[in-house]
């Protein structure tokens, strides 16, 4: 998911930190020229008890294309824009605006 956020321009960079018990992810957030944060909200869509699936034609547009939906497809995790380009639907993981 961090790859998708970086590709879409929501974060600057990320790296994995390995330790003995579990790995951690360090994310460097991105800010606009005037100092405003680029990510205003991340809302989880699918939950373990209620998975949400959509076909490519039913993928939602967030803020008329200003936000993205992160989709888990058979071709990997990608943004809704890439899913439309590759003509695949899947599970809606979260929305980013």
């Amino acid at each position: 998911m961090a790859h998708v956020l970086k590709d879409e321009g929501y974060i600057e960079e990320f790296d994995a930190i390995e330790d003995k018990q579990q790995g951690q992810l360090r994310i460097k957030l991105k800010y606009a020229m005037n100092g405003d944060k680029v990510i205003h909200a991340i809302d989880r869509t699918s939950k373990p008890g209620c998975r949400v699936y959509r076909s490519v034609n039913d993928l939602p547009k967030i803020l008329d294309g200003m936000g993205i939906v992160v989709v888990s497809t058979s071709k990997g995790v990608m943004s809704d824009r890439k899913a439309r380009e590759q003509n695949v639907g899947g599970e809606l993981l979260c929305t980013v605006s």
Side-chain angles (χ1 to χ4, degrees):
M1 203 152 92
H3 285 286
V4 174
L5 293 176
K6 183 169 174 26
D7 291 344
E8 292 292 325
Y10 285 99
I11 61 174
E12 285 191 26
E13 60 186 48
F14 67 94
D15 61 334
I17 303 168
E18 299 295 329
D19 61 6
K20 293 179 183 177
Q21 294 165 353
Q22 67 182 18
Q24 295 181 1
L25 194 63
R26 183 181 330 173
I27 297 175
K28 185 174 181 187
L29 299 176
K30 191 173 189 179
Y31 293 91
M33 292 287 206
N34 59 2
D36 288 343
K37 52 190 173 184
V38 175
I39 297 177
H40 295 285
I42 297 179
D43 297 316
R44 186 174 178 181
T45 307
S46 280
K47 297 179 172 113
C50 183
R51 304 285 183 185
V52 179
Y53 297 94
R54 295 285 186 266
S55 67
V56 68
N57 297 327
D58 295 330
L59 289 175
K61 284 198 173 196
I62 306 302
L63 299 174
D64 290 328
M66 297 300 290
I68 64 166
V69 178
V70 180
V71 184
S72 177
T73 69
S74 58
K75 296 182 179 181
V77 177
M78 60 183 72
S79 69
D80 59 328
R81 292 182 188 112
K82 278 196 174 177
R84 283 187 187 94
E85 286 174 9
Q86 296 188 14
N87 199 29
V88 292
E91 181 182 357
L92 308 183
L93 299 178
C94 66
T95 59
V96 181
S97 58

